[in-house]
Amino acid sequence: MNTVSRAVVGITAAALLAAAALPATAHAATQSSQTSQATAEPQSWGPFYSPGARRARAAGMVTATGEDHEVIPSAATLTVSGTVTDLTRSVSTCGWAVFGIATLTPDGNNVTWQRHHVRTCTYRTPKRFSFSYHRVFKVEMKVCAEGPGREPSIQCTAGNPAWTNIYVSPH
């Protein structure tokens, strides 16, 4: 065998070995990135106050697990936890934390919006809350100080002042 033939055989063998090793390396990298996505660090949000005279306050954490950014940009499960505090002495005013949650349908083609709210009417006594949603793309929130209704008013949930994003799935 001449020198050129040996070089061609050597290069071919090296290419075949590299090609065989590549899927194993890619698989290990995929598992590593999936593990890091599954154990995402909690992110803090807030404190946010109601507009005007700061009559209500909310702060907390967002924890996303199972984020999928390659197929459908969403968190498999997103947990929002925190506290909301009424900062008024009036018995006719409560502190509200209002959340808008954008979730993806199972086929990933549509986004549905859901509303979640937490209310406390006890002056300077923080109310703890925690809730979870699945296939979450985005969470936005607002803090309001208003009367003790069953749900926040249209003045609280309207766009002025603007909602604050506390989670958006990276994609």
Side-chain angles (χ1 to χ4, degrees), residues 115-134:
R115 179 96 18 99
H116 189 96
H117 58 270
V118 181
R119 178 192 74 195
T120 182
C121 300
T122 307
Y123 176 64
R124 290 208 178 265
T125 303
K127 180 176 184 177
R128 295 192 168 281
F129 61 86
S130 180
F131 58 88
S132 296
Y133 283 84
H134 300 286

Side-chain angles (χ1 to χ4, degrees), residues 67 137-139 165-171:
E67 289 182 316
F137 172 72
K138 180 179 179 179
V139 177
N165 290 333
I166 62 171
Y167 174 81
V168 177
S169 177
H171 54 290

